[in-house]
Amino acid sequence: MIGRLCRVSLAATLATLMAWGPVAPVFAQQSGASAPPAQPEPQAGDRKILESSPDYTKGKHWFPDIIAPYTSAVVPEPVLTNAPRIEQMVKDGKLSISLQDAVDLALQNNLAIVVERYVPWIAEANILRTLSGGAPAASSINALGNIPALNFDPQVTSTFSMDQKLVPANNGLTSGTGIGTGVLNTLNTHTTVGDITYSQGFHTGTSFSATFNNVRGSSSSPSNFFTPFVQSNFIFTANQQLLNGFGIYANEHFIMIAKVDKSIADQSLQQQVITSITAVGNAYWELVFARGNVDVAKQEIALADKTYSDNKKQVDVGTLAPLEIVQAEAQVATAQQALIVAQTTVLQDQLTLLNLIAKDPNSPVLRTVEIIPTDMADVAPPEVEKLPLEDLIKEAITKRPDVLQAGLQIKGDDINVRATKNALLPTLTLSGYYATEGLAGNGRPGSGCVVVPPATTCQVISGAGTALNQEFTGAYPEYNAAINLSIPIRNRAAQANNITAILSKRSDEANYSQVVNNAVIDVHNAQITLEQARITLAAAVKTRDLDQQTLDAEQKKYQVGASTLFNIVSDQNTLAAAESAEVRARVNLVEGKVNFDRAMARTLEVYNISIADAKSGQRSRDVLIPGTSVTGQLFVDPAKQPGAAPSAYNRATGAGSGQ
């Protein structure tokens, strides 16, 4: 009695698990990876980021729309037309923009950023794939390790079929139709089948399945005890990997690889944003230089015109030889030629900048637009490079995307090494099986039937109800336990994977050192370039002052006849070259600051850009955060935590000091 009660309880429990199995795991996944609460719209001074892109790691939920997981995703097509702002800023064919405006427009329109921002989304979809138990598809990290595959997504399989068959019985003895009648007997059967199976794998290396089979049939064969009959059975199977594929780490290594790849994609996007914004900064200042060079060329023409005009007056009154005016006229032509070259450079630099801040630089509004930079290089940038090289290097290697990517690659290698080490083990599977069966129906004459001519009264054993009662009470149980061992002789494939994983890690460790060394050289070069640019600017300013004084003195001497026109023209050329060199030096200094910020991975901080904003094409001036984590939470530099020591950048610029 007690044993039967235990069997009934076990059967009822397993049936409940089978019924709730497809629901409970989904709820567990949703509760464990629920979306972050909606964030309010950012206000002035608010440092929260709204992530406008969907989270492709979650997929479509089955509730309340149960057909949603079976429909195609809707991904908006990329917007390849210019954001309205850039064309709204054009007034009378002129686009007057500051450097910050250029950065804003680049975040909205730069096609390199548009292309790169899809990479993290593809990586998110890859995470969704691995959450189901599948291997990563396209990944920068090759996932290694032959571990028994499990499907983490619950799966329900059902079958319903009906079969009606009338067959001739060549041998009545075997077919059950009887023999000796002298005629060809036929066997008439009808079968209806309804089966349902629930199966799921778990991250511990466990798999479970529950099957409910039902058959209702009838036959004209007199050898059957019941016709029609109902036969049902419950089958519960569980498997647990004990060696290869045992444990959470072994079964989640695809998920871990996909998440590391998502972090690499985030850093790749950050690198692209830094690269694009650096290109915008350099292009902007090159345009400033080109326009400044045009101003220098115009001043040179003005000086040459004045000299030509004065000499012409003297030739007209006969106080100067006609040959002198030829030299002055040649100087005017040379200055005009320099102006044409400078104006050509302006047009070319405009196109370069326009291609970085517009998706369609050939639109009718922008095709002939004149870009007028409103920021000048008159004020030298802060001396952010005046810090010990060790401090600069320490900051750079903790923030540069290329260094972080190389480090993440090693993290992925560590996952592969552990996974391939587990995959070296034989496959040892512990299996458990429990089944219970029920059979009922209507009896035939001779099997509980009483013949009272002209009628036959047969014992009727209820169909589905009786069969289910037999199943739940365990009237006909079956138990099975097994251990299956699979040993690959020589195990060369698993050895190769393990060796490959270790070699890849060693290679990436060496690559990490190389990337760090390149970063160190880059930072040092940027520091040297910026320092030398300041020195060069000071020398260029002094040279231009001295050349101006020399020309003024020579003109005074020329007016009293103590000098020649040749000396005047020569000094004018020298002054023009010095003025151009000064403009070049000023632009080189601000460009040096731009490239120094890139080398130090400070570009995002300097321009108040966050990665979430770069994804959406929007920016928030209040955000001073270089990136976000995989979950969408803000990634906060530890140096910016309350009470933390100021970073090298803040110490140099005074940022964050409240001054």
Side-chain angles (χ1 to χ4, degrees):
M1 182 65 182
I2 296 176
R4 173 168 292 187
L5 180 61
C6 292
R7 289 193 297 271
V8 172
S9 301
L10 176 61
T13 302
L14 292 175
T16 304
L17 289 175
M18 180 186 72
W20 282 92
V23 179
V26 178
F27 277 125
Q29 293 175 6
Q30 291 178 0
S31 62
S34 60
Q39 299 178 356
E41 292 291 336
Q43 305 296 326
D46 193 351
R47 294 181 182 274
K48 294 182 179 179
I49 293 179
L50 280 178
E51 178 58 79
S52 63
S53 65
D55 186 354
Y56 294 108
T57 64
K58 300 186 183 305
K60 296 182 179 180
H61 290 181
W62 65 275
F63 184 81
D65 185 1
I66 61 175
I67 67 171
Y70 313 104
T71 58
S72 176
V74 177
V75 178
E77 294 184 1
V79 179
L80 301 179
T81 57
N82 296 319
R85 182 185 175 193
I86 187 172
E87 297 185 357
Q88 292 170 358
M89 294 176 66
V90 176
K91 305 296 182 183
D92 299 327
K94 300 180 185 297
L95 177 61
S96 299
I97 57 172
S98 64
L99 178 57
Q100 189 66 68
D101 292 332
V103 170
D104 291 343
L105 293 174
L107 291 179
Q108 297 173 1
N109 296 303
N110 188 272
L111 287 176
I113 296 177
V114 171
V115 172
E116 192 66 30
R117 71 177 184 168
Y118 283 95
V119 177
W121 296 340
I122 294 174
E124 287 179 355
N126 216 12
I127 293 176
L128 179 63
R129 175 186 176 89
T130 59
L131 288 174
S132 71
S139 173
S140 60
I141 302 175
N142 184 24
L144 301 173
N146 293 326
I147 293 174
L150 294 174
N151 190 353
F152 298 146
D153 285 352
Q155 185 170 359
V156 176
T157 305
S158 61
T159 302
F160 180 80
S161 67
M162 298 181 64
D163 181 77
Q164 176 69 45
K165 185 184 296 184
L166 180 65
V167 294
N170 189 41
N171 188 332
L173 182 63
T174 59
S175 63
T177 60
I179 58 175
T181 60
V183 296
L184 181 65
N185 293 329
T186 59
L187 182 66
N188 188 358
T189 63
H190 177 82
T191 305
T192 302
V193 176
D195 300 337
I196 183 169
T197 300
Y198 167 80
S199 61
Q200 184 181 1
F202 300 91
H203 295 206
T204 55
T206 309
S207 60
F208 169 79
S209 67
T211 303
F212 182 36
N213 295 324
N214 298 275
V215 178
R216 185 186 185 281
S218 61
S219 172
S220 61
S221 172
S223 61
N224 287 353
F225 189 82
F226 295 124
T227 185
F229 68 92
V230 175
Q231 185 173 11
S232 299
N233 64 357
F234 281 121
I235 302 174
F236 303 95
T237 305
N239 298 291
Q240 174 64 56
Q241 301 298 332
L242 300 179
L243 292 177
N244 187 349
F246 173 77
I248 293 178
Y249 195 96
N251 292 281
E252 288 188 351
H253 80 287
F254 285 158
I255 300 174
M256 297 176 185
I257 289 287
K259 289 182 177 179
V260 171
D261 195 61
K262 169 60 168 60
S263 298
I264 292 176
D266 288 339
Q267 295 300 326
S268 177
L269 174 60
Q270 180 169 327
Q271 182 67 64
Q272 184 58 61
V273 174
I274 291 175
T275 300
S276 297
I277 299 307
T278 300
V280 169
N282 286 328
Y284 185 91
W285 291 118
E286 282 299 314
L287 181 58
V288 170
F289 165 72
R291 292 178 65 87
N293 219 21
V294 168
D295 293 338
V296 170
K298 289 180 178 179
Q299 292 176 8
E300 186 178 1
I301 289 178
L303 287 174
D305 282 339
K306 185 176 184 305
T307 302
Y308 173 78
S309 178
D310 292 344
N311 289 351
K312 188 173 185 304
K313 291 178 181 178
Q314 294 185 40
V315 169
D316 291 341
V317 298
T319 58
L320 190 67
L323 182 61
E324 297 290 342
I325 197 174
V326 175
Q327 192 173 12
E329 190 173 2
Q331 175 64 14
V332 172
T334 301
Q336 290 175 340
Q337 184 180 4
L339 177 61
I340 293 172
V341 172
Q343 290 173 334
T344 301
T345 303
V346 167
L347 295 176
Q348 293 172 337
D349 289 345
Q350 280 188 167
L351 288 177
T352 300
L353 179 59
L354 190 61
N355 190 48
L356 293 171
I357 63 175
K359 292 178 181 176
D360 182 13
N362 197 41
S363 68
V365 177
L366 301 179
R367 189 176 303 158
T368 58
V369 72
E370 178 185 1
I371 301 178
I372 303 176
T374 58
D375 289 343
M376 295 293 105
D378 298 334
V379 179
E383 297 183 356
V384 294
E385 74 280 6
K386 297 297 184 181
L387 289 171
L389 181 61
E390 292 76 12
D391 291 348
L392 295 176
I393 292 173
K394 186 181 299 184
E395 179 186 351
I397 62 177
T398 59
K399 294 168 59 177
R400 283 178 59 116
D402 54 344
V403 176
L404 297 179
Q405 285 181 19
L408 289 168
Q409 197 76 32
I410 297 176
K411 184 177 179 181
D413 294 332
D414 286 332
I415 297 171
N416 272 333
V417 169
R418 292 184 61 177
T420 55
K421 185 177 179 180
N422 178 269
L424 286 169
L425 300 174
T427 302
L428 180 63
T429 307
L430 174 64
S431 301
Y433 176 96
Y434 171 75
T436 178
E437 191 165 346
L439 176 64
N442 296 334
R444 284 185 173 278
S447 58
C449 295
V450 179
V451 180
V452 180
T456 300
T457 302
C458 297
Q459 178 186 5
V460 177
I461 300 177
S462 177
T466 301
L468 289 174
N469 181 66
Q470 293 171 352
E471 289 182 86
F472 281 109
T473 58
Y476 306 103
E478 179 183 0
Y479 304 92
N480 178 274
I483 294 182
N484 299 315
L485 177 63
S486 175
I487 302 177
I489 305 301
R490 303 185 69 178
N491 207 22
R492 288 185 286 189
Q495 290 184 62
N497 284 336
N498 183 248
I499 293 172
T500 301
I502 296 174
L503 291 175
S504 296
K505 180 181 178 181
R506 298 292 179 259
S507 174
D508 288 336
E509 287 172 345
N511 179 68
Y512 179 81
S513 296
Q514 183 181 27
V515 172
V516 170
N517 290 340
N518 292 339
V520 170
I521 297 301
D522 192 17
V523 170
H524 199 182
N525 280 334
Q527 183 188 37
I528 293 173
T529 301
L530 192 51
E531 290 175 343
Q532 294 302 315
R534 292 188 190 279
I535 298 172
T536 302
L537 176 58
V541 171
K542 186 174 183 179
T543 300
R544 190 259 306 155
D545 288 340
L546 293 175
D547 287 342
Q548 182 66 60
Q549 295 174 19
T550 300
L551 177 60
D552 293 341
E554 199 66 32
Q555 286 177 335
K556 291 178 181 178
K557 290 168 60 178
Y558 181 74
Q559 291 174 358
V560 298
S563 182
T564 64
L565 181 61
F566 175 81
N567 292 337
I568 295 294
V569 171
S570 177
D571 288 345
Q572 287 178 349
N573 290 336
T574 301
L575 177 60
E579 290 176 338
S580 179
E582 180 185 359
V583 175
R584 179 74 268 175
R586 291 187 182 279
V587 170
N588 284 347
L589 179 58
V590 291
E591 287 185 356
K593 171 64 166 53
V594 169
N595 290 308
F596 182 79
D597 291 335
R598 176 202 55 77
M600 294 296 299
R602 294 176 178 173
T603 303
L604 301 182
E605 298 176 36
V606 170
Y607 294 105
N608 302 342
I609 302 170
S610 72
I611 291 301
D613 293 333
K615 279 185 180 180
S616 62
Q618 304 295 327
R619 65 178 301 278
S620 173
R621 295 180 181 273
D622 298 319
V623 178
L624 295 173
I625 299 169
T628 55
S629 68
V630 176
T631 61
Q633 300 297 319
L634 297 183
F635 173 86
V636 180
D637 191 333
K640 296 181 182 178
Q641 295 289 348
S647 66
Y649 174 75
N650 288 341
R651 291 198 302 271
T653 60
S657 62
Q659 298 178 355

